[in-house]
Amino acid sequence: IFGHRDFDKLVPLINGKKDFGVMTGMMPSGQMHIGHKMVIDQLKWYFEKGASLSLSIADMESYAARGISFEKAKEIAINEYLANYIALGLDLTADNVNVYLQSQNKTLNDLTFKIAKRVNFNNMQAIYGFNASTNIAHLYVPLVQVADILLPQTEEFGGPKQVVVPVGVDQDPHLRLTRDIAAKLNEEYGFLAPASTYHRFLTGLTGDKMSSSKPNTAIYLNETPKQAEKKVKSSKTGGRETLDEQKELGGRPDECVIYEMLVYHLVDDDKELEKIREECKNGELMCGHCKVHAAELMKDFFEDLKVKQEESVEIAESLFD
Amino acid sequence: IFGHRDFDKLVPLINGKKDFGVMTGMMPSGQMHIGHKMVIDQLKWYFEKGASLSLSIADMESYAARGISFEKAKEIAINEYLANYIALGLDLTADNVNVYLQSQNKTLNDLTFKIAKRVNFNNMQAIYGFNASTNIAHLYVPLVQVADILLPQTEEFGGPKQVVVPVGVDQDPHLRLTRDIAAKLNEEYGFLAPASTYHRFLTGLTGDKMSSSKPNTAIYLNETPKQAEKKVKSSKTGGRETLDEQKELGGRPDECVIYEMLVYHLVDDDKELEKIREECKNGELMCGHCKVHAAELMKDFFEDLKVKQEESVEIAESLFD
């Protein structure tokens, strides 16, 4: 997390275990990768602090953006996303969790239509850069997402409350639009402006952004432990040109994909991380050794994940019974 | 009816009692007037010929256009519209009749969203004259209406079939857009282009267009028999300046509001109508006498209607149980 809006309003709620919510969405297209785990870890943290959780499956978005049918989207959501959310430790069957498909949620769709009456084409153009050849479904979907963010504050879900939305920076336009709309609907619904936090993206294995659509940048959660291990081993590190140089100058952990993985996913113990960091920087720890260690941990992580995934698909399916 | 598109395709179906549909919609705002009876008479005719009937209550339109809530729209639809449809002799409880609220129909809303992916802002601008400050709900509603017209052809309602839509000429843009969309969705759904007929509007009591929003132009179906009688008596006729002139030149039934009422609503017998027409034109029948006669018939019609309306409200309510 490197930025936020109104997070300070949440702090007393989090500490006081007051009623607050966390909201996130997933577009069911493609596959989940290890970078997505960061969001899930955040959700888990909020959930442990007493937040209710609202989880939107953006099947209307995946239809508008990718032409994926609602049926297909549901299938992908269950097998690729929800099963992994559960496998990664989020209890989606808990009472204060609401998982829903956009297309199936009547309250959401009614709210979207109300929102649509308060936004015009000029607004959408200014915020999203749409133009006159943008199809109407595409134009409508961001309003569904605004409704997603406000849904936890509707009467059905206990009425107005502080809600935090962990997002990537690229999603900030939605948040700003939602804050405007919340103000416009405040009188009728009592909506509060949602808070948001902005997380960084995990660096891709190649050093670029990790992306669902570029296989060599990401480790997908549906890969085998063997594949995951191999991908770690071929990742870009913060190492120097030669071993001698590395011994002399030390490695650069802050530019190292492997080190980032250790921090975010593979090592919980801060002292151990500190030790790795120091040994790297002072030239004691070489990349080869470090990679083998990380790859081993990743393999273990994936072996554990595979077992949990199998159990989780059924649980994920049961969410829609 | 003074115009049509593709009605010729319906003729063999009507005569052969084949599967075909008739579709109409009502925007639940304001009140019904005697002019609306013409549409109901058409629906009855199609229904007797074996058509299935799809009746959309345009609560999404009334929200977008007039800010009427869905709850209020339903109430108006039942008491002001459906009760009158039933009172005027349309059996809405029959098996092959589908009465629905736009906002409550999932199939309709899914179809609308699919349609929205195939239309852009340019198209909407060209067809409806929308501009960039048009709100998005307003932009979206015509697509709901396109979906209304195509709904009878979905699998849920027996699949592709010829459907005729009796409309006012002002609604032709919807029909043309629907025909385009039907072609685009033909491969996936097998939709046939809907046929349409164009009816004239009943002339208002003042000689202008009869309008829901101008009380002195229309007789509302919720008025008392006394009020209806009085409004007929104060209607504009095709009479001459003086009685002498009328005796000499004869009246002008084709410019007469009273004569139109007799034709469309009050007299079924063609011979009787012909007699009135002739006696008017040759100066035998004076407006005063004719008005008294028409007013009497209207009063009878309304007295009968009042009784039927009372029974009909409950039936209308039961449509949504």
mmCIF file of all heavy atoms in Angstrom, chain A residues 248-271:
data_model
loop_
_atom_site.group_PDB
_atom_site.id
_atom_site.type_symbol
_atom_site.label_atom_id
_atom_site.label_comp_id
_atom_site.label_asym_id
_atom_site.label_seq_id
_atom_site.Cartn_x
_atom_site.Cartn_y
_atom_site.Cartn_z
ATOM 1 N N GLU A 248 31.863 -7.779 -4.410
ATOM 2 C CA GLU A 248 32.442 -6.478 -4.082
ATOM 3 C C GLU A 248 31.374 -5.437 -3.744
ATOM 4 O O GLU A 248 31.429 -4.769 -2.718
ATOM 5 C CB GLU A 248 33.269 -5.997 -5.285
ATOM 6 C CG GLU A 248 34.243 -4.888 -4.931
ATOM 7 C CD GLU A 248 34.836 -4.281 -6.204
ATOM 8 O OE1 GLU A 248 35.178 -5.049 -7.133
ATOM 9 O OE2 GLU A 248 34.897 -3.047 -6.265
ATOM 10 N N LEU A 249 30.356 -5.334 -4.652
ATOM 11 C CA LEU A 249 29.348 -4.273 -4.495
ATOM 12 C C LEU A 249 28.093 -4.714 -3.721
ATOM 13 O O LEU A 249 27.336 -3.892 -3.231
ATOM 14 C CB LEU A 249 28.897 -3.768 -5.874
ATOM 15 C CG LEU A 249 30.008 -3.200 -6.774
ATOM 16 C CD1 LEU A 249 29.471 -2.975 -8.181
ATOM 17 C CD2 LEU A 249 30.551 -1.893 -6.184
ATOM 18 N N GLY A 250 27.881 -6.023 -3.659
ATOM 19 C CA GLY A 250 26.648 -6.536 -3.038
ATOM 20 C C GLY A 250 25.492 -6.523 -4.028
ATOM 21 O O GLY A 250 25.557 -5.854 -5.067
ATOM 22 N N GLY A 251 24.419 -7.281 -3.730
ATOM 23 C CA GLY A 251 23.247 -7.326 -4.608
ATOM 24 C C GLY A 251 22.314 -6.146 -4.352
ATOM 25 O O GLY A 251 22.550 -5.333 -3.455
ATOM 26 N N ARG A 252 21.264 -6.055 -5.179
ATOM 27 C CA ARG A 252 20.294 -4.959 -5.023
ATOM 28 C C ARG A 252 18.900 -5.538 -4.731
ATOM 29 O O ARG A 252 18.095 -5.696 -5.654
ATOM 30 C CB ARG A 252 20.264 -4.123 -6.310
ATOM 31 C CG ARG A 252 21.524 -3.299 -6.523
ATOM 32 C CD ARG A 252 21.663 -2.850 -7.955
ATOM 33 N NE ARG A 252 21.794 -3.991 -8.866
ATOM 34 C CZ ARG A 252 22.128 -3.902 -10.152
ATOM 35 N NH1 ARG A 252 22.358 -2.730 -10.698
ATOM 36 N NH2 ARG A 252 22.217 -4.984 -10.901
ATOM 37 N N PRO A 253 18.614 -5.848 -3.496
ATOM 38 C CA PRO A 253 17.338 -6.511 -3.159
ATOM 39 C C PRO A 253 16.111 -5.689 -3.567
ATOM 40 O O PRO A 253 15.077 -6.253 -3.896
ATOM 41 C CB PRO A 253 17.410 -6.694 -1.639
ATOM 42 C CG PRO A 253 18.476 -5.770 -1.168
ATOM 43 C CD PRO A 253 19.448 -5.626 -2.297
ATOM 44 N N ASP A 254 16.237 -4.365 -3.565
ATOM 45 C CA ASP A 254 15.063 -3.550 -3.898
ATOM 46 C C ASP A 254 14.731 -3.569 -5.389
ATOM 47 O O ASP A 254 13.681 -3.081 -5.807
ATOM 48 C CB ASP A 254 15.262 -2.107 -3.423
ATOM 49 C CG ASP A 254 15.333 -2.057 -1.902
ATOM 50 O OD1 ASP A 254 14.733 -2.951 -1.263
ATOM 51 O OD2 ASP A 254 15.991 -1.156 -1.361
ATOM 52 N N GLU A 255 15.625 -4.116 -6.175
ATOM 53 C CA GLU A 255 15.333 -4.257 -7.603
ATOM 54 C C GLU A 255 15.200 -5.730 -7.972
ATOM 55 O O GLU A 255 15.316 -6.090 -9.139
ATOM 56 C CB GLU A 255 16.453 -3.624 -8.437
ATOM 57 C CG GLU A 255 16.577 -2.129 -8.206
ATOM 58 C CD GLU A 255 17.881 -1.574 -8.789
ATOM 59 O OE1 GLU A 255 18.294 -2.048 -9.862
ATOM 60 O OE2 GLU A 255 18.464 -0.672 -8.145
ATOM 61 N N CYS A 256 14.981 -6.566 -6.963
ATOM 62 C CA CYS A 256 15.036 -8.008 -7.188
ATOM 63 C C CYS A 256 13.656 -8.659 -7.075
ATOM 64 O O CYS A 256 12.977 -8.559 -6.057
ATOM 65 C CB CYS A 256 15.992 -8.631 -6.166
ATOM 66 S SG CYS A 256 16.099 -10.431 -6.336
ATOM 67 N N VAL A 257 13.256 -9.314 -8.144
ATOM 68 C CA VAL A 257 11.960 -9.995 -8.184
ATOM 69 C C VAL A 257 11.892 -11.087 -7.117
ATOM 70 O O VAL A 257 10.864 -11.279 -6.457
ATOM 71 C CB VAL A 257 11.726 -10.605 -9.591
ATOM 72 C CG1 VAL A 257 10.474 -11.468 -9.608
ATOM 73 C CG2 VAL A 257 11.638 -9.502 -10.636
ATOM 74 N N ILE A 258 13.002 -11.783 -6.947
ATOM 75 C CA ILE A 258 13.053 -12.878 -5.973
ATOM 76 C C ILE A 258 12.849 -12.336 -4.552
ATOM 77 O O ILE A 258 12.066 -12.884 -3.770
ATOM 78 C CB ILE A 258 14.431 -13.601 -6.049
ATOM 79 C CG1 ILE A 258 14.652 -14.214 -7.431
ATOM 80 C CG2 ILE A 258 14.536 -14.655 -4.938
ATOM 81 C CD1 ILE A 258 13.865 -15.462 -7.721
ATOM 82 N N TYR A 259 13.556 -11.259 -4.259
ATOM 83 C CA TYR A 259 13.433 -10.687 -2.911
ATOM 84 C C TYR A 259 11.987 -10.235 -2.640
ATOM 85 O O TYR A 259 11.439 -10.449 -1.568
ATOM 86 C CB TYR A 259 14.408 -9.514 -2.735
ATOM 87 C CG TYR A 259 14.353 -8.941 -1.335
ATOM 88 C CD1 TYR A 259 14.848 -9.669 -0.248
ATOM 89 C CD2 TYR A 259 13.778 -7.696 -1.087
ATOM 90 C CE1 TYR A 259 14.774 -9.170 1.046
ATOM 91 C CE2 TYR A 259 13.693 -7.182 0.199
ATOM 92 C CZ TYR A 259 14.200 -7.928 1.263
ATOM 93 O OH TYR A 259 14.112 -7.430 2.537
ATOM 94 N N GLU A 260 11.378 -9.645 -3.651
ATOM 95 C CA GLU A 260 9.986 -9.210 -3.515
ATOM 96 C C GLU A 260 9.074 -10.399 -3.213
ATOM 97 O O GLU A 260 8.180 -10.319 -2.367
ATOM 98 C CB GLU A 260 9.555 -8.524 -4.819
ATOM 99 C CG GLU A 260 8.280 -7.724 -4.694
ATOM 100 C CD GLU A 260 7.913 -7.067 -6.017
ATOM 101 O OE1 GLU A 260 7.283 -7.733 -6.863
ATOM 102 O OE2 GLU A 260 8.265 -5.896 -6.208
ATOM 103 N N MET A 261 9.313 -11.485 -3.912
ATOM 104 C CA MET A 261 8.518 -12.701 -3.661
ATOM 105 C C MET A 261 8.689 -13.195 -2.241
ATOM 106 O O MET A 261 7.734 -13.630 -1.594
ATOM 107 C CB MET A 261 8.968 -13.821 -4.595
ATOM 108 C CG MET A 261 8.270 -13.828 -5.917
ATOM 109 S SD MET A 261 8.872 -15.272 -6.811
ATOM 110 C CE MET A 261 8.698 -14.666 -8.460
ATOM 111 N N LEU A 262 9.937 -13.165 -1.782
ATOM 112 C CA LEU A 262 10.200 -13.610 -0.409
ATOM 113 C C LEU A 262 9.412 -12.743 0.568
ATOM 114 O O LEU A 262 8.760 -13.244 1.480
ATOM 115 C CB LEU A 262 11.705 -13.520 -0.101
ATOM 116 C CG LEU A 262 12.613 -14.498 -0.864
ATOM 117 C CD1 LEU A 262 14.092 -14.132 -0.661
ATOM 118 C CD2 LEU A 262 12.368 -15.949 -0.415
ATOM 119 N N VAL A 263 9.457 -11.440 0.342
ATOM 120 C CA VAL A 263 8.798 -10.503 1.258
ATOM 121 C C VAL A 263 7.287 -10.695 1.259
ATOM 122 O O VAL A 263 6.660 -10.809 2.308
ATOM 123 C CB VAL A 263 9.129 -9.039 0.877
ATOM 124 C CG1 VAL A 263 8.250 -8.067 1.673
ATOM 125 C CG2 VAL A 263 10.603 -8.747 1.112
ATOM 126 N N TYR A 264 6.698 -10.740 0.062
ATOM 127 C CA TYR A 264 5.237 -10.737 0.006
ATOM 128 C C TYR A 264 4.599 -12.108 0.148
ATOM 129 O O TYR A 264 3.458 -12.231 0.548
ATOM 130 C CB TYR A 264 4.747 -10.074 -1.286
ATOM 131 C CG TYR A 264 4.927 -8.582 -1.254
ATOM 132 C CD1 TYR A 264 5.908 -7.963 -2.019
ATOM 133 C CD2 TYR A 264 4.138 -7.794 -0.412
ATOM 134 C CE1 TYR A 264 6.086 -6.590 -1.975
ATOM 135 C CE2 TYR A 264 4.311 -6.427 -0.357
ATOM 136 C CZ TYR A 264 5.285 -5.826 -1.138
ATOM 137 O OH TYR A 264 5.458 -4.478 -1.080
ATOM 138 N N HIS A 265 5.321 -13.131 -0.223
ATOM 139 C CA HIS A 265 4.637 -14.421 -0.285
ATOM 140 C C HIS A 265 5.306 -15.572 0.435
ATOM 141 O O HIS A 265 4.638 -16.508 0.849
ATOM 142 C CB HIS A 265 4.452 -14.834 -1.750
ATOM 143 C CG HIS A 265 3.656 -13.849 -2.533
ATOM 144 N ND1 HIS A 265 2.401 -13.459 -2.158
ATOM 145 C CD2 HIS A 265 3.961 -13.145 -3.654
ATOM 146 C CE1 HIS A 265 1.942 -12.567 -3.029
ATOM 147 N NE2 HIS A 265 2.873 -12.356 -3.934
ATOM 148 N N LEU A 266 6.620 -15.534 0.554
ATOM 149 C CA LEU A 266 7.278 -16.778 0.944
ATOM 150 C C LEU A 266 7.842 -16.785 2.359
ATOM 151 O O LEU A 266 7.966 -17.850 2.962
ATOM 152 C CB LEU A 266 8.387 -17.116 -0.071
ATOM 153 C CG LEU A 266 7.877 -17.261 -1.521
ATOM 154 C CD1 LEU A 266 9.042 -17.442 -2.487
ATOM 155 C CD2 LEU A 266 6.899 -18.420 -1.649
ATOM 156 N N VAL A 267 8.171 -15.616 2.874
ATOM 157 C CA VAL A 267 8.768 -15.579 4.220
ATOM 158 C C VAL A 267 7.971 -14.628 5.112
ATOM 159 O O VAL A 267 7.814 -13.454 4.790
ATOM 160 C CB VAL A 267 10.249 -15.121 4.151
ATOM 161 C CG1 VAL A 267 10.830 -15.023 5.561
ATOM 162 C CG2 VAL A 267 11.067 -16.076 3.303
ATOM 163 N N ASP A 268 7.476 -15.149 6.211
ATOM 164 C CA ASP A 268 6.694 -14.321 7.123
ATOM 165 C C ASP A 268 7.578 -13.613 8.153
ATOM 166 O O ASP A 268 7.263 -12.518 8.602
ATOM 167 C CB ASP A 268 5.679 -15.190 7.891
ATOM 168 C CG ASP A 268 4.415 -15.399 7.076
ATOM 169 O OD1 ASP A 268 4.165 -14.585 6.165
ATOM 170 O OD2 ASP A 268 3.690 -16.375 7.348
ATOM 171 N N ASP A 269 8.664 -14.262 8.493
ATOM 172 C CA ASP A 269 9.506 -13.812 9.597
ATOM 173 C C ASP A 269 10.361 -12.600 9.198
ATOM 174 O O ASP A 269 11.255 -12.698 8.356
ATOM 175 C CB ASP A 269 10.403 -14.996 10.013
ATOM 176 C CG ASP A 269 11.272 -14.647 11.220
ATOM 177 O OD1 ASP A 269 11.360 -13.452 11.573
ATOM 178 O OD2 ASP A 269 11.861 -15.583 11.783
ATOM 179 N N ASP A 270 10.083 -11.453 9.818
ATOM 180 C CA ASP A 270 10.792 -10.220 9.457
ATOM 181 C C ASP A 270 12.298 -10.309 9.712
ATOM 182 O O ASP A 270 13.096 -9.746 8.963
ATOM 183 C CB ASP A 270 10.208 -9.029 10.237
ATOM 184 C CG ASP A 270 8.854 -8.606 9.669
ATOM 185 O OD1 ASP A 270 8.501 -9.078 8.570
ATOM 186 O OD2 ASP A 270 8.150 -7.815 10.329
ATOM 187 N N LYS A 271 12.652 -11.010 10.772
ATOM 188 C CA LYS A 271 14.092 -11.133 11.085
ATOM 189 C C LYS A 271 14.819 -11.897 9.997
ATOM 190 O O LYS A 271 15.919 -11.535 9.587
ATOM 191 C CB LYS A 271 14.276 -11.856 12.429
ATOM 192 C CG LYS A 271 14.115 -10.910 13.609
ATOM 193 C CD LYS A 271 14.681 -11.525 14.884
ATOM 194 C CE LYS A 271 14.304 -10.666 16.086
ATOM 195 N NZ LYS A 271 13.713 -11.486 17.168
#
